[in-house]
Amino acid sequence: MLVEVTRLRQRLHVTGVVQGVGFRPFVYGLAQAHGLAGFVGNNSAGVFIEVEGPESALSAFQSDLIRRKPPLAHIEAIAVEELAPLGESDFRIVESEAQPAANTLISPDICLCADCRRELFDPNDRRYRYPFINCTNCGPRFTIIKDIPYDRSLTTMADFEMCPACLAEYHDPLDRRFHAQPNACPECGPQVWLEFGERRPEIAAAISNLQSPIAESPSPIEQARHLLSLGYIVAVKGIGGFHLACNAASDAALQTLRNRKGRVDKPFAIMVADLEAARALAEVSDAEAALLTSRERPIVLLRRRPGADVSALVAPGNPYLGVMLPYTPLHELLLEGRGPLVMTSANYSDEPIVKDNDEARERLAELADAFLMHNRDIHVHCDDSVMRVFNLQSSNPQSPVSNHLKTEIGDYLPLRRSRGYAPFPVKLPFSVRPTLAVGGELKATFCLARDDYAFMSQHIGDMENLETLQAFERAVEHFQAIFRCTPEIIVSDLHPRYLSARWAHEHAANRQHIRVQHHHAHIAAVMAENSYTGGRVIGFSFDGTGYGTDGAIWGGEVLLADYASFDRALHLAYVPLPGGDAAVKRPYRAALAHLHAAGVAWDDDLPPVATCPPAERSVLAHQIRTGLNAVPTSSLGRLFDAVAALCGIRQTVTYEAQAAIEMEALAADNLADVTDGAYPFEVRETVFDAAPVIRAIVADLRWGVSTPVIAAKFHRSVAELILTLSRRLRAEHGLNTVALSGGVFQNVTLLAHTLRYLRAAGFDVLTHRLVPPNDGGLALGQAVIGAKRILDW
C-alpha cells in the first residue's frame, strides 16, 4: 500500500553576508540534494528562498543551510514563512529583486582562494597566469560594488561582457563560478598593461632586451618585475587602490622612495611570496602564521630576524616589520619566485590612497617610474588592514595567568581595520536609529549605524586636507547607498577645529547633531564591540590628544562610563605643553615640561635639555611659567614621549607615536627581568601625578641604569597604576569591569601586563578585537553614545 507523503512549502529569508559569496548556487545544490522544488534569489535585504517537499527534507535543508554554508557566508538570521504548496517539480535561480528601503550585508574583498591559485599556475588551464582570476570563494567584492543587490550590472564589471565559456560557467549550477559576478578570463575580462613615467626613454631602454621564459614577448607583469629588480619604483594597481612598490632589499630604492614620498622614518609594509619567505625575514608564531594566511590577508607586525635580507630603511629604528602575503592573482605573479617588495599606499603622506588610472598618472607622476595599470575600475578605495598578534605568553612564558589570558581573550589586536574586514559590521548590544558618526581627525573612519548593526568604514586617512575630506564624502555616500540608510542623527567630536566636526555641523540640516567627548567615545567603542550591557565600567582612556570638556587637552583619563554619560573619576595631572602641536613633533619639549612640573632643573646632562638650543629653552621656560601658547594637557601619550626623550631614545619624531614605539621595543625585551622597582605615581583624590616618576627616572639615569631597564620599569609602573586605580574605584563604586581603550593600548607590552594584573585581581576586562583602540575605532563609540542619548531622551 502506497503512503502519500505530505508536501509542504516554505519561504525563507536569509540575512547576513549572503551575497557575493556563492550562497545562491550553494542553495541550489542543497535543494537538489534534498529533492526539493522552488527557487532562490537575491534582494536588497539578503537572499529569499522558496522550497517545497516533504517535511523531513525541509527540516534537513534548513539544518544544512547553516551547517554547510559557503566559507565566506555569515548568516545572521533565517525567517521562515509557511506557504501553500504549488506542486512544482524543479528548483531554479531567479532574477534579483531591488527593494528601495532594504539592505543586506556586503562581503569584504577576499584573497585569492587555493583553487584559483592552482589554476593560475596551471599551463593547461585557460586562465593560466591571468591576473584577474576569481570565483565565488574569492576576489573583489566591496571595492567593485556600486549598489545592491549584488549583480554584475551594479558593479564595475558591468562593462565586461562574458564570453561564451565564462557565461557557461556562470550559468552552470555545478561550477565554482556559478553566479560569480566578477567572473572573467583573458578573452573577455580586464587587462593589465605597463606605462612609463617621466623617465620614459631610460625605462624603455631597461626593458628593451628583456626575454620571457614563458612567452614570445614579456608580459607587462614580467616587465614590472624586471624594473623592480633594477631598483625602479612601480605604481601597482591592486584591488582597493595603487601601491608604490620597490625592491625591499635595496637601500638605494628605499631611499629614493622615502625622498619622493616625503616619508623620513615611518615604516613601509612589505609583501613576500609565501609563509616560508615571511619566516626567513621575521619570527612567525602559529597565531601570526594563521593571520598572515587568513582570507583577510592583513599586514601583520612581526619581529625582524637578525640579518634578515631586507633593507634597514624599510623600518628605521624599529625591530618590527609589517608583512603581508599576496592577496590578488596580480600580486601572486609579481612576487613569484622573488624576494620581498615594499608595497606601500600610493599617495603623499596623509592623503588618501590613489585608486583611479588618470588620478595615478597625475598625482603619482613624481613618485613612480612606471605604472602597472589595469582597466577594472575600483569604485571605492580601500587601504590594507594592519594587525598585531597579542601573544600574551611571550611576555612571561612561565606565568599561568598569561597562558590563561592567551586562550581566553584571543590573540589579535587591530591597528587599522580596512581591506578584508570593512564593511563587515559590528553587532550592537541594542538597536539604534539611523546614525552617522564621523570619527576624529587622525586615522579617520566613520560609522553608519542602524537597527543592531554598526557599519565601520574602511580607513580614510588623516582628516587634515581637502583630498581626505573628499574621499570621506564619497565613502559616506557609498555606504548610505549600499546599506539603504539615511542618517537621522549625526555625531561628531567635541573639538571645534576638527574638519570632521565642522563637516557634521554643516551637513546636520534638520537632523540632530550630537557632539561627543573624545575619551568617552573610546570607552564606548570597546564596550560596544564586546556587546557589553552591564552598566557602568571603569574606563581607562589613554592616548595622545582629545578635547576635554574644560577646554584642556585630555589623554590620561579614568572614566566611570556607560553608553549615555561619564564621570571623570581621575586624570593625569595637567602639565603645560609649550607650543602645542610643535611639542608632539619634538618630544624633548614634553620632557622639559614634565621636568619643570616635577621640580627638576634643566641640567645639560639630561638628553632633552642637551638637545634643546639655549635660545629655545629660554622661550619654553617663559611659555611654561606664563601659560603663553602652552595648553594644559593630561595626555599619557605625551608622558610616554617625555620618558622616551629623557632616556635619550628619541628627541624628535617624523610620525605619530614614533618615540613611544621605539621605547616599547626596548621595554619588551627587558620587562621579564624587571621584577620590582616600578616608579611610583602620586595618587590624590582626582589626580595621579607623574612628578615622582620623572624624578625617579632622572635618578636612575644619573646612577647609570640602562635605557632598556628604565623603559621596562616605566611600562610596569603604568600597568601597576591601572591596577591600583581599578582597585580603588571598585572599592568606592562597586564596579568590577575595566575597559581599556585609546592609542596607548596599541602598545601590547603595556596591554599584556595590564591585563595580567587586572585578571589576577579578579577584574573583568574589555579590550579591542574588532576595531582599533586608536582613533580608527572612535566612530563606533560616537555612534552608540549618540544613539543611546536619543533613546534616553
Side-chain angles (χ1 to χ4, degrees):
M1 176 179 171
L2 294 176
V3 178
E4 185 175 347
V5 177
T6 302
R7 291 174 64 85
L8 304 175
R9 189 177 183 91
Q10 295 176 333
R11 181 176 178 90
L12 285 67
H13 194 267
V14 187
T15 56
V17 179
V18 289
Q19 294 190 18
V21 294
F23 201 81
R24 286 178 296 174
F26 159 70
V27 170
Y28 179 94
L30 201 61
Q32 296 276 24
H34 288 287
L36 299 174
F39 55 82
V40 61
N42 280 345
N43 61 25
S44 302
V47 168
F48 58 88
I49 307 167
E50 288 196 15
V51 281
E52 184 173 329
E55 183 178 6
S56 59
L58 292 179
S59 177
F61 172 82
Q62 285 192 39
S63 175
D64 284 348
L65 200 63
I66 298 170
R67 187 171 58 88
R68 296 169 54 190
K69 63 181 174 58
L72 302 186
H74 179 84
I75 296 174
E76 288 285 335
I78 301 176
V80 182
E81 178 186 357
E82 301 294 334
L83 302 175
L86 299 179
E88 292 181 327
S89 58
D90 64 339
F91 194 90
R92 61 199 186 279
I93 295 179
V94 299
E95 293 296 318
S96 299
E97 298 175 357
Q99 298 171 290
N103 75 288
T104 189
L105 305 187
I106 304 295
S107 170
D109 302 311
I110 298 300
C111 77
L112 187 70
C113 71
D115 289 331
C116 284
R117 189 181 189 280
R118 185 175 58 253
E119 292 171 351
L120 179 68
F121 291 109
D122 180 359
N124 298 315
D125 193 276
R126 71 187 189 92
R127 292 185 176 87
Y128 177 53
R129 305 188 75 81
Y130 180 55
F132 304 98
I133 187 172
N134 68 86
C135 70
T136 55
N137 297 322
C138 67
R141 298 292 189 274
F142 171 58
T143 53
I144 66 170
I145 293 174
K146 296 180 178 180
D147 204 349
I148 56 172
Y150 176 57
D151 286 320
R152 192 181 183 100
S153 61
L154 296 177
T155 74
T156 60
M157 288 295 294
D159 293 338
F160 298 96
E161 184 176 348
M162 280 183 277
C163 67
C166 287
L167 203 59
E169 293 170 331
Y170 183 87
H171 288 298
D172 181 359
L174 301 180
D175 195 282
R176 198 174 81 252
R177 294 183 172 90
F178 183 44
H179 280 244
Q181 303 307 331
N183 188 30
C185 74
E187 298 300 318
C188 64
Q191 301 296 319
V192 64
W193 67 91
L194 188 72
E195 293 184 12
F196 305 143
E198 295 180 352
R199 302 166 68 185
R200 181 181 183 88
E202 176 186 338
I203 296 174
I207 62 173
S208 60
N209 296 318
L210 180 64
Q211 301 293 315
S212 172
I214 56 175
E216 291 184 5
S217 60
S219 71
I221 294 175
E222 288 175 310
Q223 293 175 343
R225 284 166 54 90
H226 184 62
L227 291 175
L228 290 165
S229 71
L230 296 176
Y232 289 101
I233 297 168
V234 180
V236 179
K237 188 176 183 181
I239 206 167
F242 280 80
H243 285 111
L244 292 173
C246 75
N247 184 349
S250 169
D251 288 348
L254 263 297
Q255 192 59 62
T256 299
L257 180 57
R258 288 198 175 278
N259 291 343
R260 292 182 186 178
K261 207 171 190 290
R263 190 160 166 168
V264 180
D265 294 314
K266 189 174 182 180
F268 288 128
I270 62 173
M271 183 178 283
V272 297
D274 51 32
L275 190 57
E276 183 180 354
R279 288 190 164 122
L281 300 178
E283 299 171 11
V284 183
S285 68
D286 290 344
E288 288 163 337
L291 191 53
L292 280 168
T293 57
S294 68
R295 66 192 188 195
E296 293 84 5
R297 292 289 169 93
I299 297 167
V300 182
L301 298 191
L302 304 173
R303 182 170 282 274
R304 183 202 308 246
R305 287 190 184 280
D309 187 18
V310 62
S311 170
L313 292 175
V314 168
N318 194 317
Y320 287 89
L321 295 173
V323 180
M324 60 180 159
L325 301 188
Y327 53 86
T328 72
L330 190 151
H331 292 145
E332 290 278 2
L333 296 170
L334 201 61
L335 269 293
E336 181 188 12
R338 65 155 300 135
L341 292 177
V342 164
M343 294 289 269
T344 188
S345 300
N347 56 4
Y348 285 97
S349 295
D350 302 328
E351 292 184 3
I353 187 172
V354 171
K355 70 178 182 68
D356 299 321
N357 292 348
D358 288 341
E359 182 188 18
R361 295 182 184 105
E362 178 182 350
R363 289 179 57 195
L364 304 181
E366 296 182 5
L367 298 182
D369 299 310
F371 300 82
L372 190 59
M373 299 281 208
H374 63 72
N375 58 345
R376 184 179 67 198
D377 287 343
I378 300 169
H379 187 63
V380 290
H381 79 277
C382 198
D383 254 306
D384 296 313
S385 295
V386 183
M387 300 285 287
R388 194 168 187 182
V389 169
F390 185 19
N391 191 338
L392 291 170
Q393 188 171 2
S394 66
S395 66
N396 184 355
Q398 304 305 316
S399 169
V401 176
S402 292
N403 291 331
H404 166 70
L405 287 176
K406 184 177 187 295
T407 58
E408 185 175 355
I409 70 166
D411 287 319
Y412 304 146
L413 180 71
L415 303 182
R416 181 202 290 165
R417 184 183 186 270
S418 201
R419 178 191 50 76
Y421 300 92
F424 194 78
V426 175
K427 191 75 178 291
L428 296 177
F430 52 87
S431 186
V432 302
R433 286 168 54 188
T435 301
L436 172 64
V438 298
E441 183 174 57
L442 301 180
K443 299 179 175 64
T445 62
F446 63 84
C447 178
L448 189 66
R450 63 176 291 177
D451 302 325
D452 53 356
Y453 288 121
F455 299 97
M456 291 291 293
S457 78
Q458 69 273 40
H459 172 76
I460 306 293
D462 292 347
M463 288 278 281
E464 298 177 320
N465 53 62
L466 179 61
E467 292 82 4
T468 309
L469 177 62
Q470 291 170 340
F472 168 86
E473 291 177 325
R474 289 192 298 269
V476 168
E477 290 175 4
H478 184 234
F479 265 55
Q480 290 182 176
I482 63 176
F483 295 120
R484 299 289 193 265
C485 181
T486 301
E488 299 171 9
I489 306 162
I490 294 185
V491 190
S492 67
D493 193 90
L494 275 181
H495 201 299
R497 291 196 297 273
Y498 275 6
L499 194 56
S500 58
R502 297 206 303 268
W503 185 92
H505 174 72
E506 292 166 3
H507 289 78
N510 296 322
R511 296 176 285 197
Q512 293 166 295
H513 179 200
I514 296 174
R515 293 174 174 85
V516 171
Q517 202 282 320
H518 189 94
H519 299 93
H520 184 204
H522 272 309
I523 299 304
V526 73
M527 292 166 64
E529 73 159 83
N530 283 278
S531 297
Y532 180 77
T533 56
R536 290 204 302 175
V537 301
I538 303 168
F540 289 86
S541 190
F542 288 173
D543 63 4
T545 299
Y547 193 74
T549 56
D550 58 357
I553 300 301
W554 291 8
E557 311 308 310
V558 187
L559 311 179
L560 303 179
D562 56 23
Y563 290 113
S565 62
F566 73 94
D567 293 317
R568 192 187 192 196
L570 295 109
H571 62 86
L572 183 65
Y574 284 136
V575 171
L577 194 65
D581 288 346
V584 176
K585 296 178 180 179
R586 303 179 200 172
Y588 67 79
R589 287 192 170 199
L592 294 177
H594 274 281
L595 286 169
H596 179 273
V600 178
W602 290 358
D603 294 331
D604 287 336
D605 66 323
L606 299 175
V609 180
T611 298
C612 187
E616 184 180 350
R617 256 185 264 169
S618 177
V619 171
L620 296 180
H622 176 72
Q623 287 182 293
I624 290 171
R625 284 195 307 270
T626 64
L628 178 66
N629 194 26
V631 62
T633 182
S634 61
S635 168
L636 207 78
R638 298 291 78 80
L639 178 60
F640 269 80
D641 286 350
V643 173
L646 266 178
C647 292
I649 297 169
R650 173 67 60 175
Q651 303 301 329
T652 61
V653 300
T654 61
Y655 62 91
E656 184 191 14
Q658 183 179 7
I661 288 169
E662 293 179 7
M663 183 166 66
E664 181 198 352
L666 293 174
D669 292 333
N670 292 272
L671 201 50
D673 298 327
V674 178
T675 56
D676 56 18
Y679 302 122
F681 286 82
E682 180 186 352
V683 180
R684 301 192 290 273
E685 185 175 351
T686 60
V687 168
F688 51 97
D689 196 336
V693 174
I694 298 297
R695 289 193 291 267
I697 289 173
V698 169
D700 271 359
L701 285 168
R702 287 173 172 161
W703 273 105
V705 177
S706 71
T707 295
V709 170
I710 293 174
K713 288 174 67 175
F714 176 68
H715 278 72
R716 184 177 294 278
S717 303
V718 177
E720 290 186 2
L721 170 73
I722 293 171
L723 175 62
T724 298
L725 299 182
S726 297
R727 281 174 165 160
R728 171 178 151 179
L729 293 172
R730 176 166 62 183
E732 292 176 355
H733 300 278
L735 303 176
N736 198 59
T737 300
V738 175
L740 306 176
S741 189
V744 166
F745 290 109
Q746 294 175 113
N747 181 328
V748 297
T749 302
L750 172 66
L751 185 56
H753 279 73
T754 300
L755 276 164
R756 177 185 167 200
Y757 294 153
L758 290 173
R759 296 282 187 182
F763 286 97
D764 299 319
V765 188
L766 307 179
T767 61
H768 286 280
R769 305 175 213 173
L770 302 180
V771 302
N774 59 45
D775 286 3
L778 197 69
L780 174 62
Q782 291 175 343
V784 292
I785 292 170
K788 187 64 173 175
R789 287 182 184 172
I790 294 298
L791 286 173
D792 291 348
W793 283 352

